[in-house]
Amino acid sequence: MSDVAGGIPPILVGTWTYRSFLSNPDVNADFDSLEFGRGNIRIDPGPMQIFSGLIYGPGWELKLKGSIAYGNPFNVRFQGVGIVGGAQWIYDYQGYLIPDWPNGIDQRPALVGSIVRTIPHPTGPNGKSTAPAGVVAQWIAVKQDDNV
């Protein structure tokens, strides 16, 4: 799992399918009602311990900058910053690379963690509502086929 050239681990580099979920403990909540966000995360190659990339979806993108802590599991901490619909968006992310199961079948690399909205921003049709700062959600990202 380490890169001979001293960069970030190759297992992290590439494109990941991202989904985040609201923190609703009601087991009877409709699964669709839990969606907080979805898109792709691109993790770029770079120097050891430096996290950079992009999180994006149709009509939006945030540049990602942060760090990687080595261990079992790897830990990623990064911030996404960008202008979406004319407003600044800032989100902070913490995540962990899920270790492989020794008896796992067709296991894909996955990152799991939490996200917090760092500043409020307009949301909804025509930006008439405000998405408040401080909202926390959980997220999962599953590695796409580009570098599995």
Side-chain angles (χ1 to χ4, degrees), residues 37-131:
R38 68 170 74 187
N40 293 291
I41 292 179
R42 188 190 75 219
I43 301 175
D44 297 332
M48 187 166 47
Q49 299 179 334
I50 303 298
F51 186 103
S52 67
L54 195 67
I55 185 169
Y56 59 95
W60 65 275
E61 68 178 38
L62 305 177
K63 291 183 182 178
L64 305 177
K65 291 167 84 173
S67 63
I68 300 168
Y70 293 88
N72 188 15
F74 286 118
N75 172 301
V76 294
R77 187 171 182 103
F78 53 95
Q79 186 172 75
V81 176
I83 303 297
V84 178
Q88 185 173 42
W89 285 21
I90 302 177
Y91 287 83
D92 285 288
Y93 302 78
Q94 174 81 35
Y96 303 90
L97 180 66
I98 299 302
D100 287 339
W101 286 100
N103 59 345
I105 297 172
D106 296 329
Q107 181 177 355
R108 299 185 71 83
L111 293 162
V112 298
S114 66
I115 174 178
V116 63
R117 186 179 298 121
T118 309
I119 65 169
H121 63 73
T123 190
N126 301 318
K128 293 188 179 201
S129 299
T130 298

